[in-house]
Amino acid sequence: HQDNLLFLWSITVSIFGIGGLLGSSGSRYLTVKYGKKKCLLCNNLLMIVAASIMGCSKIARSFEMILIGRFMCGISLCVPLHHQYTGEISPKKLRGFANSTSSFFWTLGKAVGQISGQRELLGSQSLWPMLMASCGLPALVQLITLPFFPESPPYLLMHKGDQEGCKKAIRQLWGEGHHQAEIDDIMKEKATMKNTKILSVLELMKEPAFRWQLYMIVTLTATVQLCGINAV
C-alpha cells in the first residue's frame, strides 16, 4: 500500500539520525577509554560493513538491509571524532584551519553524493546499489592510511600519562624541533581539567552561567534542522 511505502521510506531516511544520536551519546566514553585513533578505525570498519550491507540489498531483495546500513552509517558518521583528532594532531598555528576542513569536506561530500545520485549517473535503477555502497570508499582509504599516523598527543599525555609517547607522536607529526611550548600547553590544559567538573546534560541546562550560550546553540541547531536540509 502507498501509505506503507511512504512510512518505510520515511523510516529509511530518518533512521540515520537515530543512529547518530546513539553514536554521539557514547562518543566521550569511547574516546577517553580507547583513544581517538582506535575509535576512528572502528568507525571506518563499521562504515565499510554498512556500505557492503546496503550495496547487497538489491541482490538480497531486502529493504531491511538498507535500514540496517543507514542506522550503522549514522552511528559511524555522527561520532564527533574527525575534527577532534584533526585539531589535536595539528600544530597550534594551523589548528583553526585544520578544524574548519571537517565542515568543508562534510559539505563537499554531501554535494558529491547529491550529484552522483542523479538518474543520469549512479541514481539509475541498475546502479543505485553502487551509490549506496560508495560511502565505504572514503572509509576504506582512511582505514588503510590511518595506522601510519600516531595517536593524538593530548590524549597520550592527558589520559594515558605517557609523556615519552606524546613527544614521539609530536615529532612524527610536526618534525624534529623544540616543541616544549606545545607540551606545556597540554600540561596546563590537563591541570585545568582536574579542577573542572564535567557537567551532565541536565546539570548544564540548570546552570545559569551557561544559559545564554545554551539558548544560542539550541536556536542555531534548531534552525539548521527545521530548514529541511536533512529531509532534502
Side-chain angles (χ1 to χ4, degrees):
H1 193 274
Q2 190 65 32
D3 290 344
N4 292 336
L5 289 175
L6 181 61
F7 173 74
L8 288 173
W9 177 245
S10 301
I11 291 294
T12 303
V13 173
S14 60
I15 201 169
F16 176 88
I18 299 172
L21 177 64
L22 292 177
S24 58
S25 299
S27 61
R28 182 179 178 274
Y29 169 78
L30 293 173
T31 53
V32 170
K33 185 172 179 61
Y34 299 108
K36 294 175 178 65
K37 180 181 172 181
K38 288 181 180 178
C39 287
L40 277 173
L41 289 170
C42 291
N43 268 9
N44 293 325
L45 285 172
L46 189 63
M47 180 63 75
I48 292 170
V49 172
S52 302
I53 290 173
M54 292 189 295
C56 296
S57 60
K58 185 179 180 182
I59 298 174
R61 296 179 178 273
S62 171
F63 70 87
E64 293 89 351
M65 293 175 69
I66 301 178
L67 284 168
I68 294 170
R70 288 273 298 170
F71 179 73
M72 293 171 66
C73 283
I75 295 176
S76 176
L77 278 178
C78 294
V79 177
L81 288 174
H82 292 86
H83 65 278
Q84 291 182 23
Y85 182 72
T86 305
E88 290 182 3
I89 66 172
S90 305
K92 195 171 184 178
K93 60 182 179 181
L94 297 176
R95 197 161 295 160
F97 170 77
N99 283 330
S100 66
T101 58
S102 295
S103 300
F104 170 76
F105 283 110
W106 179 272
T107 306
L108 181 63
K110 282 188 173 183
V112 171
Q114 290 178 353
I115 293 170
S116 302
Q118 299 299 310
R119 283 188 171 86
E120 293 78 10
L121 298 174
L122 295 179
S124 63
Q125 190 171 355
S126 59
L127 295 179
W128 68 261
M130 292 179 60
L131 178 66
M132 299 291 285
S134 63
C135 61
L137 292 177
L140 181 61
V141 171
Q142 192 176 70
L143 186 66
I144 294 172
T145 56
L146 194 60
F148 296 99
F149 286 77
E151 181 55 87
S152 159
Y155 173 78
L156 291 172
L157 188 56
M158 294 171 64
H159 296 288
K160 293 296 183 181
D162 186 1
Q163 190 163 352
E164 287 303 315
C166 175
K167 291 179 179 179
K168 183 179 178 181
I170 287 176
R171 286 194 297 268
Q172 184 178 344
L173 290 165
W174 305 339
E176 297 293 335
H178 187 69
H179 303 297
Q180 189 59 42
E182 285 83 356
I183 296 174
D184 291 340
D185 286 342
I186 299 173
M187 293 298 294
K188 289 178 184 177
E189 186 178 350
K190 182 179 181 180
T192 303
M193 284 183 64
K194 284 184 177 180
N195 300 321
T196 303
K197 181 185 177 183
I198 304 298
L199 299 178
S200 67
V201 176
L202 187 60
E203 290 172 333
L204 178 65
M205 293 174 67
K206 291 180 178 179
E207 181 61 48
F210 301 121
R211 191 66 49 80
W212 283 105
Q213 295 93 319
L214 190 62
Y215 287 159
M216 185 179 297
I217 291 171
V218 169
T219 302
L220 289 172
T221 306
T223 305
V224 171
Q225 297 298 324
L226 295 174
C227 73
I229 185 63
N230 286 340
V232 171

